[in-house]
Amino acid sequence: MPIITTKEGLSINSEHVVQFTALRNGKTRFLLSTGGEQICESYSDVAELFIPVIPANPGFIAVFAERWEDGFFQYKHRSVIAWRLCPSGNYPIFEGYGDSNDEYAVIIDPAGGIYDGDGNVYATLEDWQKEYEAEANELAARSAKAA
């Protein structure tokens, strides 16, 4: 039950919102289950507060990959703790603090399956790493050649 915080100082329990409408002036009109309404400006995108989030089963791991300038590859693993159920697909939510670079490379499922966001499946993490590193090195070589 996310709380909607508004710039007017109100806190609206999202469980009581029956309907909301974005107005042209940047504010949002909330119809409440109590029969009342509030017109106010929220700090966050209101629609995102109504996207369902369900807990992830234990064992889902996201792998983040980074190629450094010296060609070294660093891999970080973060647990998937929940899934956002969006119309365009299910998206993982990770443990720890999020940042603007929350683009995972592959997910490891509890049974050991490896797959990426494009639906490609890999037999092992090492198979994926070989393909990922080859593509990243090729891309780096092309951009160095263009410069």
Side-chain angles (χ1 to χ4, degrees):
M1 144 188 90
I3 300 295
I4 301 165
T5 306
T6 69
K7 294 182 180 177
E8 292 80 7
L10 298 173
S11 295
I12 301 172
N13 183 338
S14 62
E15 294 286 324
H16 294 285
V17 176
V18 176
Q19 182 180 9
F20 65 91
T21 305
L23 303 176
R24 283 186 247 178
N25 64 0
K27 294 190 177 199
T28 303
R29 178 178 173 226
F30 296 97
L31 296 178
L32 305 174
S33 61
T34 60
E37 85 174 33
Q38 290 288 336
I39 297 176
C40 42
E41 189 174 357
S42 70
Y43 281 108
S44 59
D45 182 6
V46 175
E48 286 191 13
L49 298 173
F50 293 95
I51 295 173
V53 174
I54 61 169
N57 287 333
F60 282 93
I61 306 289
V63 178
F64 296 80
E66 183 179 3
R67 182 183 188 276
W68 293 5
E69 287 184 23
D70 64 0
F72 177 78
F73 287 89
Q74 179 181 14
Y75 299 99
K76 294 180 184 176
H77 295 209
R78 290 175 69 191
S79 296
V80 176
I81 59 170
W83 299 96
R84 293 186 76 164
L85 307 179
C86 300
S88 58
N90 301 331
Y91 297 93
I93 297 174
F94 312 107
E95 55 84 20
Y97 292 105
D99 59 21
S100 60
N101 193 17
D102 260 351
E103 287 294 320
Y104 66 93
V106 291
I107 296 282
I108 304 170
D109 69 27
I114 313 291
Y115 58 92
D116 64 17
D118 296 328
N120 299 315
V121 179
Y122 301 89
T124 66
L125 189 59
E126 291 76 24
D127 288 347
W128 166 76
Q129 284 177 322
K130 287 177 190 172
E131 184 177 316
Y132 176 82
E133 290 177 9
E135 287 177 8
N137 286 332
E138 182 181 325
L139 184 62
R142 269 193 259 150
S143 52
K145 195 182 245 188

